[in-house]
Amino acid sequence: MIKFKQTQLLSFLCCFLILLPSLVRGECTCEAEDEDRNKSLALKYKLAALASILVAGAIGVCFPLLGKTIKALRPEKNVFFIIKAFAAGVILSTGFIHVLPDATENLTSPCLNENPWGKFPFAGLVAMASAIATLMVDVFATSHYSKSHLNTTKQVNGDEEKTGEIDENPVHVHTHATHGHAHGSMLERSGSSELLRHRVVSQVLELGIVVHSVIIGISLGASESPKTIRPLVAALTFHQFFEGMGLGGCIAQAQFKSRSVAIMVLFFSLTTPVGIAIGIGISNIYDESSPTALIVEGIFNAASAGILIYMALVDLLAADFMNPKLQNNGLLQAGASVSLLLGSGLMSLLAVWA
């Protein structure tokens, strides 16, 4: 079985959730914009957002996982390609339209010193570095496993060849039994490498989603303006649902054990609600206009954007659209293209409200 250090990933995410509120605290050097504040009404909207986002995220991430009971949703079916293309469009739009512009706005804020923040596009730099780092993780993880698995396969083949040579008819055993086993080993290695990629993709994608989801949650929870929160409730609910579909599709293809699936689903479903709860708790001390908050949010958003854009283009869209099954089916190719445009278009439209 392919094993990953999920405990390290979970530890990082837990530390991130604990440390982020302390990182974004800071003295304000730029006055916040005047807005109608109503703490009691704002709290009601926040609680409604917490519940709706939690439910929508859980439904979205679990929907593609129903392939075990609903045959049409299995990874090898055409419908799965359509759903995954839609979800990939949502993730791509999230990176380009929602997260990266927010990072740019944070890191070019007039509340920050002109030198160096106003003289260099740091958001683009961090996003690029994040995308390259994601590529490195993708390549090194796949390469490391492929080499270790290849060495194991060679050792097994060598042992079987030695056993075959002891037989009274060594030529027959070697040319047929081991030849067939070699083909089986190649197929097994190919399938294992593909499974590994799906697992790496699902975990790195979840990391990118979790980072910006927590930041979004804290920003919403810390706001005390009902006028600001009201449109965000519906927008973030749809946002979480569609992102969940994309992540759920990757988890379904990764074929994790039930425990690992439950942990990943739980983490995704809880990140934004936990962020909202943290925001509510620190609303009296949190200042989104402080230089520290702007820099921390901007850097994390830019890094998240780089991860999401890379994962959407390389590991989701390129992998599926170059799949022989889709390449040899014109109708499926057209359907996936329309689904991609629809997903990215609808998610981009949400930028009007959030």
Side-chain angles (χ1 to χ4, degrees):
M1 291 297 295
I2 303 171
K3 295 181 180 179
F4 286 92
K5 297 180 180 178
Q6 288 186 322
T7 54
Q8 294 181 0
L9 177 63
L10 296 180
S11 300
F12 169 79
L13 295 176
C14 290
C15 292
F16 175 75
L17 290 173
I18 294 171
L19 295 176
L20 185 60
S22 61
L23 290 174
V24 297
R25 291 177 61 182
E27 296 181 0
C28 178
T29 60
C30 185
E31 295 183 1
E33 296 180 2
D34 293 333
E35 49 186 7
D36 51 329
R37 299 177 182 272
N38 187 328
K39 285 190 175 182
S40 59
L41 183 58
L43 182 60
K44 292 180 181 179
Y45 283 132
K46 292 174 190 178
L47 295 178
L50 192 152
S52 63
I53 289 173
L54 176 63
V55 173
I59 293 175
V61 74
C62 289
F63 182 71
L65 300 176
L66 297 176
K68 292 182 179 179
T69 54
I70 303 175
K71 292 183 178 180
L73 295 178
R74 291 179 180 175
E76 67 272 12
K77 299 295 183 180
N78 291 347
V79 175
F80 189 83
F81 279 90
I82 303 296
I83 294 174
K84 198 175 174 186
F86 181 89
V90 169
I91 293 171
L92 185 63
S93 175
T94 299
F96 273 121
I97 307 298
H98 293 263
V99 185
L100 189 56
D102 286 347
T104 303
E105 182 180 358
N106 288 336
L107 296 179
T108 57
S109 171
C111 300
L112 299 178
N113 293 330
E114 179 67 19
N115 187 18
W117 302 105
K119 296 184 176 181
F120 189 84
F122 283 99
L125 176 66
V126 174
M128 180 182 68
S130 176
I132 293 173
T134 306
L135 170 65
M136 296 302 177
V137 170
D138 204 352
V139 170
F140 290 153
T142 306
S143 175
H144 175 73
Y145 171 76
S146 298
K147 290 178 181 178
S148 61
H149 186 74
L150 181 61
N151 292 334
T152 304
T153 304
K154 284 181 178 179
Q155 184 177 357
V156 172
N157 288 345
D159 293 341
E160 291 194 359
E161 285 183 7
K162 289 180 181 179
T163 304
E165 289 174 358
I166 298 174
D167 194 272
E168 294 180 358
N169 191 0
V171 176
H172 176 74
V173 172
H174 177 77
T175 55
H176 291 280
T178 58
H179 182 68
H181 178 75
H183 282 293
S185 299
M186 289 176 65
L187 291 173
E188 181 183 353
R189 185 164 67 250
S190 176
S192 298
S193 297
E194 186 176 354
L195 183 62
L196 170 81
R197 279 195 57 76
H198 289 314
R199 293 188 172 185
V200 172
V201 166
S202 61
Q203 292 188 348
V204 176
L205 178 61
E206 177 154 24
L207 176 63
I209 291 174
V210 163
V211 169
H212 90 268
S213 293
V214 173
I215 293 174
I216 290 173
I218 291 177
S219 298
L220 188 149
S223 176
E224 295 179 352
S225 170
K227 185 178 179 181
T228 301
I229 299 172
R230 192 184 301 116
L232 287 176
V233 176
L236 292 180
T237 298
F238 284 108
H239 178 278
Q240 198 76 353
F241 175 77
F242 291 139
E243 269 194 348
M245 287 180 61
L247 179 61
C250 293
I251 295 175
Q253 288 183 306
Q255 299 177 17
F256 285 112
K257 291 182 179 179
S258 299
R259 181 182 176 183
S260 298
V261 171
I263 291 173
M264 294 185 74
V265 167
L266 191 64
F267 249 92
F268 170 78
S269 302
L270 290 178
T271 46
T272 304
V274 167
I276 294 174
I278 292 173
I280 293 173
I282 65 172
S283 58
N284 292 328
I285 59 174
Y286 177 85
D287 190 346
E288 62 183 7
S289 299
S290 71
T292 304
L294 289 169
I295 293 171
V296 171
E297 287 185 15
I299 290 176
F300 275 115
N301 272 331
S304 176
I307 294 174
L308 294 178
I309 291 169
Y310 171 86
M311 299 300 291
L313 289 175
V314 178
D315 286 326
L316 298 181
L317 292 175
D320 283 352
F321 275 75
M322 295 302 172
N323 189 300
K325 183 175 182 178
L326 192 143
Q327 288 281 314
N328 297 327
N329 189 332
L331 186 61
L332 178 59
Q333 194 171 14
S337 299
V338 171
S339 182
L340 168 63
L341 294 173
L342 191 62
S344 57
L346 290 176
M347 195 63 198
S348 299
L349 186 62
L350 286 179
V352 176
W353 300 279

